[in-house]
Amino acid sequence: MRHFSVAFLFTILALTTISAQGIEFFHGSWEDAILKAKQEDKIIFVDAFTTWCGPCKNMAANTFTAPEVGEYFNANFINMKIDMEKEMGLEFRKKYPVNAYPTLFFIDAEQEIVQKTVGAKNAADFLILGQSITGKYDKSKKFEKAYLSGDRSYKLVYDYVAALNKAGKPSTKIANDYIASQTDLTTEENLRFILEGASQIDCQCFDVLEKYKSDIIKITSEQMFLDKVRQASTNTAKRAIEFESPELIVLAAAAMKRHIPSEAEFFKSKSELQYALAIHDMSRIDELVNTHVKKFVKNDPDGLHQMALDLNKYAADSKPCQILALNLAEKAAKADDPKYVTTYAQLMHKSGAKQEAINILDEAIRKYKDEESKDLQSLKALKTKIENG
């Protein structure tokens, strides 16, 4: 079994562009959001922003639109964007003070702050933040005692399975046991239970989900069904890494092809690359990265940059992978974003090419006319560090 953070590994490629949605924001009132959070037992995520805030615009354009961010946040949070200079925002600030933008709030249904953080985040870091929040919000212990004492009522088992799923804990045995105990799976209660319980592709509950697909969609929605397929497929790909079982990726990719064919090829490519990085399969990483970049990342600087970072993190001891990371970082740096240039220079220095790293930074520094620019100061500081290193 793999003893590393599978959840962290699954933040890779978050910035790759595919035909999938990002975060769906709730457009009702604050009171409506609180009611919805209570009904769905979810935390409210609030992006406290202003229209003039540059980092806010960057998050809106690049972070909130990332498919993996949307998949996770849509499933686990009630998401709101609130302009702090308009009526709702002015009222919101009376209870939840905001002094910098963006400020990211996570607030429970009792209107208590679970966590508050200031500053923009890229898709990978924002996904990690969301996962840490749901990890804190673990209600499964609340139901575990009653379940172990023999309570098998619908509400208790449903709430227990839902809490386990939200906390990222195994729930398939409990869900499968409940399904096996039922004589009529077509009742509305049981159809809703099946939708909640199908957390993995390789479980009885998912088989039943597929069997009663049309009935489940009738009482919920096609979007909820597809979201469940995406989440179950992602969970199964994570287990493939955890237990070193690549056949699980095959099962998950097949499920995606059956139900969401437009996303199946991307899912398979991403999952195979994540698996190769996780188990350090150097014989496949180069081919998988190049294929993924060619088909999905293309010339997107965010995706190229993230891929370079992931290769550097998970394949740091492989010379071919480090060369590949350097090539990807070079392509990303052409966008002239300081963070991309910084990564390119750092990887160049790490490869042993100290002077080339300094030249990269010198070229970027020459483009700045504002001597007070924070980005300029950051580039100069890195150059000094490399020169003295």
Side-chain angles (χ1 to χ4, degrees):
M1 185 183 298
R2 286 272 141 189
H3 297 288
F4 58 82
S5 175
V6 175
F8 183 83
L9 179 61
F10 264 69
T11 65
I12 72 168
L13 315 179
L15 298 172
T16 302
T17 302
I18 61 167
S19 55
Q21 63 189 9
I23 292 181
E24 295 177 342
F25 288 98
F26 180 68
H27 297 293
S29 67
W30 178 247
E31 291 72 22
D32 291 337
I34 292 296
L35 179 60
K36 188 174 176 65
K38 288 179 178 178
Q39 291 172 339
E40 299 183 16
D41 192 24
K42 291 181 178 178
I43 292 173
I44 303 170
F45 160 62
V46 176
D47 170 32
F49 76 100
T50 66
T51 56
W52 48 263
C53 164
C56 300
K57 293 176 182 178
N58 183 56
M59 283 199 76
N62 300 309
T63 300
F64 299 151
T65 56
E68 292 189 15
V69 168
E71 180 182 343
Y72 193 83
F73 273 71
N74 293 339
N76 292 283
F77 299 99
I78 308 299
N79 303 296
M80 295 191 78
K81 285 177 67 69
I82 304 180
D83 187 336
M84 292 294 107
E85 296 183 336
K86 292 187 176 179
E87 186 175 349
M88 185 189 296
L90 295 173
E91 193 64 30
F92 180 88
R93 292 174 65 177
K94 292 179 182 178
K95 183 169 185 178
Y96 307 104
V98 179
N99 299 311
Y101 302 101
T103 296
L104 311 175
F105 288 94
F106 293 87
I107 300 170
D108 65 22
E110 304 306 316
Q111 303 190 57
E112 297 295 326
I113 295 176
V114 177
Q115 188 159 325
K116 170 184 175 182
T117 185
V118 176
K121 295 185 178 297
N122 62 32
D125 290 340
F126 187 57
L127 189 54
I128 292 171
L129 175 62
Q131 291 167 341
S132 73
I133 298 299
T134 53
K136 293 177 183 177
Y137 198 60
D138 181 4
K139 290 188 173 182
S140 61
K141 290 291 183 183
K142 173 182 174 183
F143 307 109
E144 182 180 26
K145 186 175 181 180
Y147 184 83
L148 293 177
S149 296
D151 188 343
R152 296 297 185 271
S153 64
Y154 170 81
K155 179 167 175 46
L156 186 281
V157 180
Y158 180 93
D159 288 345
Y160 187 23
V161 168
L164 288 169
N165 287 343
K166 282 177 182 157
K169 294 181 176 180
S171 67
T172 53
K173 184 179 186 308
I174 294 163
N176 288 344
D177 286 349
Y178 179 84
I179 291 296
S181 73
Q182 300 301 296
T183 56
D184 182 5
L185 293 177
T186 63
T187 67
E188 182 171 340
E189 278 191 346
N190 281 341
L191 291 172
R192 291 186 183 278
F193 182 90
I194 291 165
L195 182 64
E196 179 60 48
S199 61
Q200 301 284 345
I201 300 299
D202 59 326
C203 72
Q204 180 187 357
C205 215
F206 192 86
D207 294 339
V208 177
L209 178 81
E210 292 187 298
K211 180 178 180 179
Y212 295 108
K213 174 181 177 179
S214 59
D215 296 313
I216 289 170
I217 289 175
K218 283 178 185 176
I219 65 168
T220 56
S221 68
E222 184 175 16
Q223 187 61 54
M224 290 180 71
F225 176 86
L226 296 180
D227 285 344
K228 176 55 69 171
V229 172
R230 290 188 186 96
Q231 188 58 56
S233 298
T234 299
N235 290 344
T236 302
K238 289 179 182 178
R239 286 183 63 239
I241 292 174
E242 186 177 358
F243 296 101
E244 296 190 23
S245 302
E247 65 275 8
L248 292 176
I249 292 178
V250 176
L251 288 176
M256 289 291 290
K257 189 172 183 178
R258 288 195 298 274
H259 299 290
I260 321 176
S262 63
E263 298 176 22
E265 189 178 6
F266 170 82
F267 174 85
K268 185 173 184 290
S269 175
K270 175 194 70 173
S271 299
E272 288 178 344
L273 176 52
Q274 289 169 334
Y275 185 86
L277 284 168
I279 69 167
H280 241 46
D281 185 356
M282 298 305 165
S283 65
R284 296 199 67 207
I285 289 175
D286 183 81
E287 176 191 352
L288 290 169
V289 168
N290 281 314
T291 299
H292 196 83
V293 168
K294 183 178 180 180
K295 287 187 175 181
F296 303 107
V297 179
K298 299 180 181 177
N299 293 318
D300 172 48
D302 282 329
L304 293 166
H305 178 247
Q306 187 62 45
M307 189 81 74
L309 291 176
D310 295 326
L311 281 168
N312 183 55
K313 179 175 179 62
Y314 293 103
D317 56 351
S318 166
K319 186 67 174 178
C321 287
Q322 287 308 301
I323 292 173
L324 182 56
L326 194 57
N327 290 337
L328 294 171
E330 180 182 13
K331 290 179 182 178
K334 291 178 181 178
D336 284 335
D337 186 310
K339 69 179 178 182
Y340 304 153
V341 173
T342 295
T343 296
Y344 180 33
Q346 288 173 327
L347 290 179
M348 185 64 78
H349 183 224
K350 182 178 179 180
S351 73
K354 179 176 179 178
Q355 189 55 53
E356 285 85 345
I358 293 170
N359 292 343
I360 290 166
L361 293 169
D362 278 337
E363 184 179 350
I365 288 168
R366 282 195 293 270
K367 295 178 182 179
Y368 282 86
K369 296 181 180 179
D370 180 8
E371 289 295 326
E372 301 302 318
S373 167
K374 290 183 180 179
D375 289 335
L376 175 60
Q377 300 309 315
S378 177
L379 291 169
K380 286 183 174 180
L382 177 59
K383 178 186 174 184
T384 299
K385 182 179 178 180
I386 290 175
E387 288 176 330
N388 297 333

